[in-house]
């Protein structure tokens, strides 16, 4: 360290005493480290405090909480399987629709669109991402459902003679059902899956694409042969991030799913998901019932954290692999 | 391209077998269809919100108190607008300083240390935590402790949502600050904290602001954490620390769940107001961000 004696500063340029400056530096380091640690602290606190509060309801009958099919707060019966089922089913419907559409949009933006039109589409997708979820729920509940119910009834009539399908798509008198929730979730997941797919596609080396064209490939053959194999891992990760988002979506789903407490294979029947049942029953709950709702939240938290963790790992591994292949 | 009838290899599109050409055309068509499929819901939402919300929009709607009965027709979303602005604003005051400082740690101090890498991963994971979980967390750790639902609890929940977004977007911006600036500042004898406060952060300020505004726009539209932590009110409650509060998103949810035309009317008006606010923040953020892009050049 330089001796302080040689660092006599002129009085108008105050560089500060060495000791004071070092103290300032050290406390700043402490401050920013603490800010960085907040993330870990908050995540840890979320897990601990919610689990502690949910414990009275879970410990009542832990097996029933995880495997029971009956949710009856008045009888202190808290089986959460119907909601887990609803969450899985609606997000699967959402993914089946959103993944191909998002990959299509990403391909359109990176490979097909003219430059000016490309900007327009990117803006449209960005705008779609800024629409608050409750607004999707509002439009879904008051506009889409009245319009789409006849279509459900027509389709149910169409597949009625086909065994298997007629159980999945059967008679309905309401548009508030699993399928509508899945549709809304699809729309809400499209922006996130699209933007990550675009990033993944942009890592495909230009030389690979040009090589495919040089071999006489059409655009589709180039996409099939050069882009898709190269980006498969990244696309899996993107879809999983979308899935995580879909499973946690609360308000839009609770406005369109109806709110029945049972479970049925019929996609055109009302149901509930983990997140939406919390929102729907929160207002009229108390005591153990509230604890049980928080318990559902803990379950949901665990599931989404695991999915997000895996998804990030998949995306990162795919990125490393692609960059390695490129260099 | 003139046709060379005599030379054997004809490489033009015309020579493509019909199967390959059909596959190519069909795929292009399907890819285009995907874009239409995604654009349709956006235009449906905008059209419905503007046309239905526009009919109930008026100055009274923006300033009057909310009717206590769902069946009462007429205007009033004033308290919800004030609630949205105050609750989200307070959340921003909490989350943005912590988020920016956290990003400073990640980019200037932690870099590739295991702890920094872990925090980065956890921030990504935290972005994916369902928003209702943040509400439940604040409910059990704050609302139960103080014994009542207040506006500030909603701010805390929204701050938890915004924190990881602010951290990650700020870190991206700090990474763009050229290292020469840091070295020049250090060469002039500035301490590290002074370099960061007077050189690094100011030169990334527009990017940081734009990221923060996007986080605010996202938080302003959140419903689930609000209904869990904030409760409900019909009158103006500018004091976040006293009594239950409300925001636009929660009002949309409540009014849309009712079967009455009067309340649904108010839900549409609230939706138009909320989307206006969110778009305003998004556009300001875009403008600031594009300024930044010009500065970079």
């Amino acid at each position: 360290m330089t001796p302080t004696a040689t660092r006599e500063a002129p009085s108008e340029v105050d560089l500060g005493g060495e000791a004071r400056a070092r103290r300032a530096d050290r406390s700043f380091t402490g401050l920013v480290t603490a800010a960085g640690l907040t993330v870990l602290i908050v995540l840890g606190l979320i897990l601990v405090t919610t689990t502690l509060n949910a414990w009275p309801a879970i410990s009542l009958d832990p097996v029933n909480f995880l495997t029971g099919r009956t949710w009856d707060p008045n009888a202190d019966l808290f089986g959460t399987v119907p909601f887990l089922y609803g969450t899985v089913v609606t997000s699967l419907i959402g993914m089946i629709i959103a993944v191909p559409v998002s990959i299509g949009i990403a391909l359109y933006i990176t490979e097909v669109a003219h430059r000016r039109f490309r900007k327009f589409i990117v803006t449209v997708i960005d705008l779609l991402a800024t629409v608050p979820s409750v607004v999707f729920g509002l439009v879904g509940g008051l506009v889409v459902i009245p319009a789409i119910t006849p279509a459900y009834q027509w389709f149910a009539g169409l597949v009625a003679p086909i065994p298997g399908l007629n159980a999945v798509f059967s008679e309905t008198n309401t548009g508030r059902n699993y399928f509508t929730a899945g549709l809304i979730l699809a729309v809400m997941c499209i922006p996130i899956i699209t933007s990550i797919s675009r990033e993944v596609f942009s890592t495909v080396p230009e030389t690979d694409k040009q090589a495919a064209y040089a071999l006489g490939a059409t655009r589709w053959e180039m996409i099939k042969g050069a882009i898709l194999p190269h980006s498969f891992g990244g696309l899996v990760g993107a879809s999983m991030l979308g899935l995580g988002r879909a499973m946690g979506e609360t308000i839009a789903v609770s406005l369109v799913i109806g709110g029945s407490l049972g479970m049925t294979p019929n996609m055109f029947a009302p149901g509930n998901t983990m997140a939406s049942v919390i929102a729907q029953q929160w207002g009229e709950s108390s005591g153990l019932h509230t604890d049980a709702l928080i318990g559902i939240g803990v379950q949901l938290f665990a599931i989404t954290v695991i999915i997000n963790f895996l998804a990030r790992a998949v995306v990162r591994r795919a990125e490393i692999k692609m960059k390695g292949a490129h260099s | 391209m003139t046709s060379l009838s005599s030379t054997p290899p004809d490489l033009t599109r015309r020579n493509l077998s019909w199967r390959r050409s059909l596959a190519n055309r069909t795929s292009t068509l399907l890819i285009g269809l995907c874009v239409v499929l995604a654009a349709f819901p956006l235009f449906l939402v905008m059209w419905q919100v503007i046309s239905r919300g526009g009919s109930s929009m008026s100055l009274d709607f923006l300033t009057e108190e909310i009717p206590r009965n769902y069946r009462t027709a007429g205007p009033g979303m004033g308290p919800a607008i004030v609630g949205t602005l105050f609750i989200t604003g307070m959340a921003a005051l909490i989350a943005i300083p912590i988020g920016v400082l956290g990003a400073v740690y990640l980019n200037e101090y932690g870099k590739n240390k295991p702890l920094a890498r872990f925090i980065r991963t956890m921030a990504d994971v935290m972005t994916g935590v369902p928003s209702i979980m943040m509400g439940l967390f604040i409910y059990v750790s704050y609302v139960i402790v103080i014994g009542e639902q207040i506006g500030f609890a909603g701010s805390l929940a929204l701050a938890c949502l915004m924190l990881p977004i602010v951290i990650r977007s700020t870190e991206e911006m700090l990474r763009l600050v050229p290292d020469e600036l840091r070295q020049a500042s250090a060469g002039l004898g500035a301490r590290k904290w002074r370099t960061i406060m007077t050189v690094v952060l100011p030169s990334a300020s527009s990017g940081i602001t734009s990221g923060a505004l996007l986080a605010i726009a996202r938080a302003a539209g959140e419903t689930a954490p609000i209904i869990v932590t904030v409760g409900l009110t019909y009158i103006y409650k500018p004091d976040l620390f006293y009594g239950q509060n409300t925001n636009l998103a929660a009002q949309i949810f409540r009014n849309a769940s009712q079967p009455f035309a009067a309340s649904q009317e108010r839900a549409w008006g609230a939706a138009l107001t909320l989307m206006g606010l969110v778009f305003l923040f998004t556009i300001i953020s875009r403008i600031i961000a594009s300024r930044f892009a010009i500065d970079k050049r």
Side-chain angles (χ1 to χ4, degrees), chain A residues 30-41:
Chain A
L31 183 70
V32 294
T33 313
L37 288 173
T38 323
V39 171
L40 304 183
I41 296 169

Side-chain angles (χ1 to χ4, degrees), chain A:
Chain A
M1 283 292 121
T2 43
T4 35
T6 61
R7 299 197 57 192
E8 281 294 359
S11 57
E12 72 263 25
V13 188
D14 182 19
L15 288 174
E18 187 78 354
R20 218 185 69 205
R22 200 174 300 151
R23 213 176 319 127
D25 227 8
R26 207 171 302 147
S27 47
F28 188 75
T29 312
L31 183 70
V32 294
T33 313
L37 288 173
T38 323
V39 171
L40 304 183
I41 296 169
V42 169
L43 272 178
L45 278 179
I46 292 178
L47 188 62
V48 173
T49 57
T50 48
T51 311
L52 280 179
N53 267 273
W55 194 243
I58 300 176
S59 61
L60 205 62
D61 190 350
V63 179
N64 182 54
F65 190 79
L66 291 176
T67 60
R69 288 163 159 236
T70 314
W71 178 266
D72 186 358
N74 294 326
D76 282 349
L77 273 177
F78 301 112
T80 57
V81 172
F83 310 130
L84 180 64
Y85 172 78
T87 298
V88 170
V89 160
T90 51
S91 8
L92 277 185
I93 296 174
M95 286 303 104
I96 289 170
I97 301 166
V99 170
V101 171
S102 308
I103 292 176
I105 299 168
L107 282 175
Y108 191 87
I109 293 171
T110 50
E111 300 303 326
V112 182
H114 292 285
R115 184 177 289 179
R116 200 173 295 164
F117 199 53
R118 179 182 306 169
K119 234 178 192 169
F120 172 72
I121 295 168
V122 172
T123 314
V124 165
I125 301 298
D126 284 354
L127 278 179
L128 200 60
T130 64
V131 175
S133 66
V134 68
V135 176
F136 279 121
L138 176 70
V139 175
L142 299 184
V143 179
V144 174
I145 284 178
I148 211 171
T149 310
Y152 288 159
Q153 283 159 345
W154 168 80
F155 191 76
L158 195 71
V159 299
I162 309 167
L165 264 187
N166 59 9
V168 180
F169 301 107
S170 102
E171 273 303 294
T172 179
N173 46 21
T174 171
R176 294 182 191 276
N177 55 35
Y178 291 118
F179 196 82
T180 315
L183 281 180
I184 302 270
L185 287 179
V187 173
M188 300 183 66
C189 294
I190 284 175
I192 182 170
I193 304 180
T194 303
S195 74
I196 297 170
S197 305
R198 263 178 66 205
E199 272 170 41
V200 171
F201 289 151
S202 69
T203 60
V204 176
E206 195 60 33
T207 44
D208 282 20
K209 298 194 223 167
Q210 297 302 337
Y213 278 134
L215 289 171
T218 61
R219 181 156 58 208
W220 171 239
E221 286 160 350
M222 186 277 288
I223 291 172
K224 219 168 50 168
I227 296 186
L228 291 184
H230 207 278
S231 348
F232 184 75
L235 293 180
V236 170
S239 312
M240 285 171 71
L241 283 179
L243 181 67
R245 165 112 203 250
M247 295 185 104
E249 182 44 51
T250 312
I251 293 299
V253 171
S254 70
L255 281 170
V256 298
I257 201 167
S260 100
L261 300 177
M263 54 198 267
T264 149
N266 182 7
M267 290 302 103
F268 290 162
N272 228 326
T273 70
M274 301 170 89
S276 68
V277 77
I278 303 175
Q280 285 179 354
Q281 302 198 345
W282 188 258
E284 59 246 28
S285 71
S286 62
L288 266 186
H289 187 188
T290 307
D291 297 343
L293 290 177
I294 295 173
I296 295 182
V298 175
Q299 256 179 300
L300 183 64
F301 177 73
I303 295 174
T304 48
V305 163
I306 291 170
I307 287 181
N308 267 284
F309 211 83
L310 289 177
R312 302 278 173 191
V314 169
V315 172
R316 197 156 306 149
R317 260 192 59 186
E319 262 170 15
I320 291 169
K321 214 172 87 189
M322 281 183 291
K323 277 176 190 151
H326 186 37
S327 60

Side-chain angles (χ1 to χ4, degrees), chain B residues 102-115:
Chain B
V104 165
Y105 169 74
L106 290 182
N107 197 56
E108 310 290 325
Y109 291 88
K111 292 185 176 135
N112 262 332
K113 282 183 202 156
L115 176 64

